[in-house]
Amino acid sequence: MNVNEPFDVFRARLNSGEESCEARTQQYLSTISRRKNLNAFLSVFEDEALAHARSVDKKIKAGGAGHLAGMVVAVKDVICMKGKRTTCGSKVLENYEAIYDAAVIEKLRAADAIVIGKTNMDEFAMGSSTENSAFGPVKNPIDETRVPGGSSGGSAVAVAAGMSSTSLGSDTGGSIRQPAGLCGIFGMKPTYGRVSRYGLVAFASSFDQIGPFANSARDVAHILKVIAGHDERDSTSAKLPVPDYLAAMNRDVEGMKIGLPIEYFNEALNPEIRSVLEKRIAQLRDHGAEFIDVSLPHSEYTIATYYILATAEASSNLARYDGARYGYRSPYAKDLSEMYTKSRSEGFGAEVKRRIMLGTYVLSAGYYDAHYRKAQKVRRLIQKDFFDAFKKVDCLMTPISPTTAFKFGEKVDDPLQMYLSDIYTVSANLAGIPGISVPAGVDRQNLPIGLQLLGKQFDESALLKVADFLEQQE
Amino acid sequence: MSITIKEVEHIAALARLEFSDEEKEKFTHQLNDILQYIEKLNELDTSTVEPLSHVIELSNVFRDDVVKPSISAEEALKNAPAKVDTLFRVPKVIG
């Protein structure tokens, strides 16, 4: 039984009765327990997932099972599930039990997907290596001395190590695409507003978006089809129809125009990554795609803009963790003011504090215009760069990360170096456009190299089509 | 522009965070590195650019004000660190 096979293939065997969801779920559970040392999961719903699998098996037999019947999904621990711990990788929420289901969880359940557990992550999704979890780092299954990327490291590892068929993560500056790249799987950040954020614990509300990890582009499409769409409980979710992503995946790239941003293919690009991307470009070109150099002139300002705006939003969103209504409360506080300060200081980890400090600073009196407002203006320039490029091309191809998976401890003490590992991914969140990480090859040490495709707002279809084409090439 | 330990203390107070002297020094150093990096934005003339606060086209989203089921007081208090009846309990406000 190959747990990495595409969902379509597995589903056909489920329908014909050759396989069962229960057996498959059991297999994922065994892998989770065998590879516990990877620290990918914070909770595993063993009995519940098996019971659910049995009921889905019955439904398949009886007919009328949902679109994702038989898909076993792991969910990043920043997404609420009623009655389950939702820790956000933080000591602050160590014992927090969600009191409602996120919109994406309702949709997965309605489609008969089975949720197997909640995955480890950088605290409040802040990080690029999953070293910032209060519950210990996640290891990369390909080389356990290396990070899986972050912040959705647990969700990436769950899929890469065969602990679930797909997973959900959240992407604020690259937190789905970068770990997908470092673990050698597919990971998509949909357009801002494509998927409801209802029940997603907020980090930076104008950037956050939920999206899937999977072993194939078609599986990304299957899960996106189910979780996408308007939700009145998230007023930023778009009132647009959800296209039939799978129908668009016809592997015909003839005549497609793909842009290569010259700023991303500069001399600083790692030569091994460049050569893998060039091979992929040649494959597309051989099948009739046209490549065009485009310029995104404000690329060098993306990291600075992102870290001003995202930390500002985070400092405001994380003000809610005050020890009053839920979450960690310090036992040492003598009055209300101390309760706030001590609960927050004892509860949050170093990176979260650093970002709250930076965000508070850029929003504080005297600096708001110079930093926050300035960055909002540059954000418009960055978005315009993309909109201009998309007048000429259907999508863009770029690297996903400046390096392959790095070693533990390599960047954790140098926040700026860590922030720069998001250099190719944050622009999509600044512009609100979709992006997907596609496995493209390996380096000399056999570590995965991913490539990124970026698309027009709400045109995930073009990305899935190219990703699916690339998946068929060797 | 660089940030001093005194400013770090001020920002920490605004953010309701407290740090040891050692942490303050480390944060001052790291924040300075980051602030120096973000100074980069001043290379750009943005005097005629409108700030972007929302990335997709959206105007105000209004809805009718209708009474709908919501979470119960019991659920709202489920994760409370301390409670009395249907109230959150906190330490005294005036010391």
Side-chain angles (χ1 to χ4, degrees):
Chain A
M1 179 160 29
N2 166 23
V3 293
N4 291 337
E5 71 191 350
F7 177 65
D8 290 331
V9 176
F10 176 59
R11 179 65 185 269
R13 287 215 308 280
L14 275 180
N15 289 345
S16 69
E18 289 164 61
E19 288 240 33
S20 74
C21 298
E22 186 184 3
R24 178 61 64 105
T25 305
Q26 186 57 62
Q27 189 171 9
Y28 288 130
L29 287 166
S30 320
T31 309
I32 291 173
S33 113
R34 188 162 44 81
R35 306 209 69 182
K36 224 180 164 80
N37 67 314
L38 298 175
N39 203 22
F41 281 82
L42 295 176
S43 338
V44 180
F45 311 137
E46 191 162 347
D47 296 341
E48 201 179 311
L50 285 170
H52 192 190
R54 282 190 289 271
S55 83
V56 175
D57 280 331
K58 275 188 204 139
K59 225 168 165 178
I60 290 171
K61 231 175 231 164
H67 186 74
L68 298 181
M71 188 181 275
V72 178
V73 189
V75 174
K76 187 178 184 180
D77 210 17
V78 69
I79 295 170
C80 290
M81 281 178 72
K82 188 170 181 171
K84 303 285 189 232
R85 271 194 339 149
T86 301
T87 68
C88 297
S90 179
K91 182 181 170 186
V92 170
L93 294 178
E94 188 169 6
N95 300 308
Y96 178 78
E97 256 183 39
I99 55 174
Y100 62 91
D101 279 329
V104 291
I105 298 296
E106 292 173 351
K107 287 181 162 182
L108 286 179
R109 288 227 181 90
D112 290 327
I114 296 154
V115 179
I116 198 165
K118 306 284 295 287
T119 59
N120 202 352
M121 55 183 281
D122 280 307
E123 185 177 5
F124 288 107
M126 297 179 188
S128 311
S129 66
T130 319
E131 291 171 284
N132 295 333
S133 169
F135 309 106
V138 179
K139 292 177 181 168
N140 191 316
I142 297 145
D143 176 348
E144 295 184 13
T145 65
R146 292 173 189 273
V147 305
S151 68
S152 313
S155 286
V157 170
V159 173
M163 298 161 161
S164 66
S165 50
T166 60
S167 61
L168 292 183
S170 64
D171 189 314
T172 305
S175 285
I176 292 173
R177 291 159 289 151
Q178 185 255 15
L182 269 45
C183 291
I185 58 171
F186 292 82
M188 173 177 261
K189 181 200 94 76
T191 309
Y192 183 83
R194 182 53 103 185
V195 177
S196 170
R197 292 182 292 114
Y198 178 75
L200 169 69
V201 179
F203 158 14
S205 309
S206 81
F207 296 84
D208 298 341
Q209 190 63 194
I210 295 172
F213 288 93
N215 281 307
S216 82
R218 286 184 67 80
D219 288 7
V220 171
H222 278 298
I223 195 164
L224 183 64
K225 179 188 157 108
V226 166
I227 62 172
H230 178 66
D231 173 12
E232 64 172 15
R233 296 163 302 180
D234 172 6
S235 63
T236 64
S237 70
K239 279 187 182 156
L240 288 172
V242 177
D244 186 349
Y245 300 115
L246 289 145
M249 297 166 83
N250 60 4
R251 293 170 194 172
D252 177 10
V253 295
E254 174 91 42
M256 275 193 90
K257 290 188 174 134
I258 303 175
L260 297 173
I262 51 175
E263 291 82 3
Y264 290 46
F265 287 87
N266 63 12
E267 63 290 344
L269 179 60
N270 171 312
E272 281 189 281
I273 295 177
R274 180 190 296 271
S275 93
V276 162
L277 263 64
E278 278 168 357
K279 189 176 153 203
R280 295 307 192 156
I281 290 167
Q283 290 170 343
L284 281 158
R285 206 176 258 145
D286 287 348
H287 287 80
E290 186 188 345
F291 280 84
I292 299 169
D293 282 343
V294 296
S295 176
L296 303 168
H298 297 93
S299 293
E300 62 178 299
Y301 303 103
T302 54
I303 293 282
T305 306
Y306 174 76
Y307 277 94
I308 293 171
L309 297 176
T311 59
E313 292 184 24
S315 72
S316 170
N317 274 327
L318 273 62
R320 71 190 64 173
Y321 304 106
D322 56 9
R325 294 146 300 152
Y326 49 80
Y328 176 78
R329 180 185 289 186
S330 168
Y332 308 111
K334 291 190 289 292
D335 58 35
L336 188 69
S337 172
E338 276 194 15
M339 181 190 82
Y340 297 146
T341 305
K342 291 197 184 298
S343 300
R344 290 166 64 76
S345 302
E346 292 162 22
F348 291 134
E351 180 58 26
V352 172
K353 288 179 189 168
R354 188 154 41 236
R355 296 204 197 186
I356 291 174
M357 289 289 286
L358 183 58
T360 306
Y361 176 78
V362 300
L363 290 175
S364 66
Y367 298 105
Y368 180 89
D369 281 332
H371 291 306
Y372 184 72
R373 206 173 155 78
K374 178 84 186 182
Q376 282 190 310
K377 290 177 166 193
V378 181
R379 187 178 193 181
R380 184 174 297 280
L381 296 174
I382 291 165
Q383 187 184 53
K384 188 174 175 297
D385 285 352
F386 281 97
F387 288 179
D388 289 346
F390 288 131
K391 287 176 190 155
K392 293 176 235 155
V393 296
D394 300 306
C395 65
L396 301 172
M397 186 192 284
T398 80
I400 193 77
S401 138
T403 64
T404 50
F406 46 92
K407 298 248 183 194
F408 287 102
E410 214 172 286
K411 299 185 185 183
V412 81
D413 281 328
D414 188 344
L416 193 53
Q417 273 313 306
M418 189 70 95
Y419 298 172
L420 290 171
S421 57
D422 300 337
I423 197 149
Y424 300 121
T425 50
V426 296
S427 54
N429 305 76
L430 285 162
I433 59 173
I436 189 169
S437 184
V438 180
V442 290
D443 70 5
R444 266 170 301 196
Q445 300 171 86
N446 251 338
L447 298 169
I449 292 175
L451 65 79
Q452 175 175 237
L453 301 167
L454 297 172
K456 297 172 187 172
Q457 287 190 342
F458 300 104
D459 190 17
E460 287 85 4
S461 295
L463 306 185
L464 288 165
K465 178 175 165 160
V466 177
D468 181 50
F469 168 87
L470 287 168
E471 190 181 343
Q472 309 312 314
Q473 310 290 312
E474 259 318 301
Chain B
M1 189 164 32
S2 73
I3 186 170
T4 60
I5 288 200
K6 220 175 144 58
E7 274 177 296
V8 166
E9 285 169 349
H10 171 64
I11 301 297
L14 290 176
R16 300 281 194 199
L17 289 171
E18 61 186 6
F19 298 106
S20 68
D21 287 345
E22 205 180 313
E23 284 173 315
K24 276 183 214 164
E25 211 156 296
K26 195 173 168 189
F27 267 138
T28 308
H29 177 70
Q30 289 176 336
L31 286 174
N32 268 321
D33 276 356
I34 298 167
L35 289 172
Q36 197 185 347
Y37 182 78
I38 66 181
E39 282 292 301
K40 217 176 157 54
L41 298 191
N42 292 329
E43 295 167 9
L44 293 169
D45 176 6
T46 52
S47 51
T48 60
V49 182
E50 274 294 301
L52 179 66
S53 53
H54 202 49
V55 290
I56 55 172
E57 279 190 42
L58 260 189
S59 44
N60 281 336
V61 179
F62 295 110
R63 59 170 173 78
D64 292 331
D65 190 13
V66 218
V67 178
K68 282 184 188 171
S70 183
I71 58 165
S72 63
E74 194 184 76
E75 282 175 308
L77 285 157
K78 193 177 164 193
N79 288 286
K83 57 191 163 190
V84 192
D85 303 327
T86 55
L87 304 166
F88 294 104
R89 182 180 193 141
V90 295
K92 62 185 172 184
V93 177
I94 300 160

